[in-house]
Amino acid sequence: MTVPAVAAASFCGTALVFHIVSIIIAARRCRPRPEAQSKRATVPAALPPVSIVRPVCGLDNFLEETLRTSFELDYPRYELIFCVASTRDPAITVVQQLIAAHPQSHARLLVGDDRVSQNPKLNNCVKGWRAAKHDWIIMADSNVLMPRDYILRLLAAWKPDTGLVCSPPIGCWPVGFWAGLECAFLNTYQVRAQYVADALGLGFAQGKTMLWRRADLEGAGGIGALGAEIAEDAASTKIVRAAGLRVRLTAPPFEQPLGRRRMMEVWRRQTRWARLRRSSFPLYFVPEIVGGALFPLIAAGYVACAADVSVISTVATLALVWYGAEIALAKAAQWPLPLLYALQALLRDMLLPVLWFDAWIGTDFVWRGHQMSIAADAPAP
């Protein structure tokens, strides 16, 4: 074969090996575990009291279901602090009804907006952080489902060199084709990348769930320090690494129910995340251009043509192995597996280069009605 064909074959083989290894890593970390196993895990002998800060904004799909899980945790001492920015937010009624239905809980609702950055979620969390009574504080998005061993699982991931414990979201309860596409992005692609980075000691914070030890963040300037980046999880990663500590991930991760999604909802969410990754970690973002199966499949077709063998058979075989491994991961982790998963995963991989180029060109996006920008000179509201 020619030199270009050898190079294409080497690239294709390397990509496939990395893909399979990443599948194995994710499968080991993400397979379900009995809740009793969390209790046997290495957690502090005397369980510390914990504060949970949950920012709420608007009526998400399954909002009542996700918030209700906050009250059902198997943990002896924890408080719940729900944060809402506006008195007109319709989510207030849902939170108040849940608090009233659980009078034995240590739960309260705080309303107000402390503007320390252009990040509205961070601004919403400030009052909750400051009101928290305990030294261990969890910030968790309102659309996260909390299993009964939620706090135990987070504490079990904490090691002496840890500065933060997080969990990437697993898409669950999808309805329709586009929600299935979002599962293909979240579960078998982005979560897999997160656990590979964690295995290499390069864990990145994920804002869906973050367990802090208060002293660590206060020593870096307090919660306002998370406004140094437009995304609070990117700022969290940099703060923890600057302290010589590691971001660690829970195993397995926690679920986020999706419900029905529209095509543009999925697209806008993925472009927002891609632009944020490019802005905060450009060197890590560069290799994402070859992150999916598209370029390995093209390379396989080129090699088959150069070797004078069937292009269709070669590309189809690689696609079968590639996406078959992803399906095996989803089954092992008991994640949703739509009937059209192979088509959704292929569409995801075709969109990845488009998202990559868009991330280098675009700077603005809308998050829950708030116009935001990743431009360096973007003013705080």
Side-chain angles (χ1 to χ4, degrees):
M1 290 193 293
T2 63
V3 172
V6 172
S10 299
F11 165 73
C12 187
T14 301
L16 180 60
V17 169
F18 180 82
H19 181 71
I20 298 300
V21 170
S22 72
I23 292 286
I24 294 172
I25 291 172
R28 292 184 61 185
R29 298 292 303 278
C30 297
R31 67 184 187 278
R33 293 171 175 79
E35 290 186 4
Q37 187 170 334
S38 294
K39 296 179 180 179
R40 296 195 301 268
T42 304
V43 295
L47 294 176
V50 174
S51 298
I52 300 178
V53 177
R54 299 204 77 170
V56 184
C57 179
L59 297 175
D60 289 327
N61 292 341
F62 307 109
L63 178 66
E64 182 178 353
E65 289 84 348
T66 55
L67 294 186
R68 185 186 299 116
T69 61
S70 311
F71 296 87
E72 299 170 348
L73 305 181
D74 184 10
Y75 197 79
R77 292 181 59 195
Y78 71 97
E79 65 169 346
L80 289 168
I81 305 174
F82 297 97
C83 299
V84 179
S86 171
T87 56
R88 298 186 300 273
D89 196 310
I92 288 178
T93 300
V94 177
V95 174
Q96 289 174 332
Q97 290 174 346
L98 286 170
I99 292 176
H102 299 83
Q104 77 286 356
S105 66
H106 299 280
R108 48 188 162 148
L109 170 65
L110 303 181
V111 182
D113 195 21
D114 301 287
R115 301 201 171 191
V116 299
S117 71
Q118 67 162 322
N119 181 340
K121 186 178 85 171
L122 175 61
N123 297 340
N124 193 15
C125 287
V126 169
K127 55 186 173 294
W129 177 275
R130 292 173 177 169
K133 298 177 181 177
H134 305 307
D135 292 331
W136 292 87
I137 303 175
I138 298 169
M139 292 193 288
D141 283 5
S142 59
N143 55 9
V144 173
L145 279 172
M146 296 181 173
R148 292 182 62 84
D149 62 346
Y150 176 79
I151 299 177
L152 289 170
R153 200 184 298 178
L154 287 166
L155 289 172
W158 195 279
K159 302 294 187 293
D161 63 348
T162 305
L164 183 63
V165 172
C166 298
S167 172
I170 292 296
C172 67
W173 306 354
V175 178
F177 180 86
W178 301 112
L181 174 63
E182 187 153 25
C183 282
F185 271 109
L186 288 174
N187 301 356
T188 47
Y189 179 68
Q190 291 168 351
V191 163
R192 180 161 49 88
Q194 284 276 73
Y195 279 100
V196 169
D198 184 54
L200 295 174
L202 297 171
F204 290 83
Q206 192 88 21
K208 286 293 177 183
T209 287
M210 297 197 297
L211 170 66
W212 284 97
R213 187 167 47 190
R214 184 195 294 271
D216 292 332
L217 186 52
E218 293 295 342
I223 190 170
L226 300 185
E229 298 276 337
I230 189 171
E232 77 285 350
D233 43 16
S236 299
T237 301
K238 293 182 179 182
I239 286 172
V240 170
R241 290 182 180 179
L245 300 172
R246 286 184 55 177
V247 176
R248 293 188 179 274
L249 302 183
T250 59
F254 305 122
E255 294 181 321
Q256 171 191 338
L258 302 180
R260 188 170 296 280
R261 290 286 196 263
R262 295 190 296 271
M263 178 183 68
M264 290 309 298
E265 283 182 287
V266 177
W267 174 253
R268 291 191 186 105
R269 188 173 292 108
Q270 293 302 321
T271 55
R272 182 177 81 241
W273 290 344
R275 291 175 183 182
L276 289 170
R277 292 195 303 274
R278 191 273 299 172
S279 173
S280 298
F281 301 101
L283 292 179
Y284 291 106
F285 182 74
V286 169
E288 288 193 24
I289 183 66
V290 293
L294 180 61
F295 289 111
L297 290 174
I298 293 173
Y302 177 78
V303 172
C305 184
D308 197 23
V309 298
S310 172
V311 172
I312 294 177
S313 297
T314 302
V315 172
T317 299
L318 177 59
L320 181 64
V321 174
W322 192 284
Y323 294 120
E326 291 191 14
I327 290 172
L329 169 61
K331 288 185 174 181
Q334 297 183 16
W335 295 337
L337 195 57
L339 292 175
L340 297 177
Y341 175 79
L343 176 60
Q344 290 157 334
L346 178 60
L347 177 58
R348 173 204 68 199
D349 290 345
M350 293 173 65
L351 289 173
L352 287 175
V354 182
L355 287 166
W356 190 87
F357 283 108
D358 175 88
W360 291 101
I361 297 171
T363 58
D364 300 334
F365 57 89
V366 176
W367 184 82
R368 293 184 181 270
H370 297 269
Q371 184 69 38
M372 303 174 68
S373 176
I374 61 175
D377 58 350

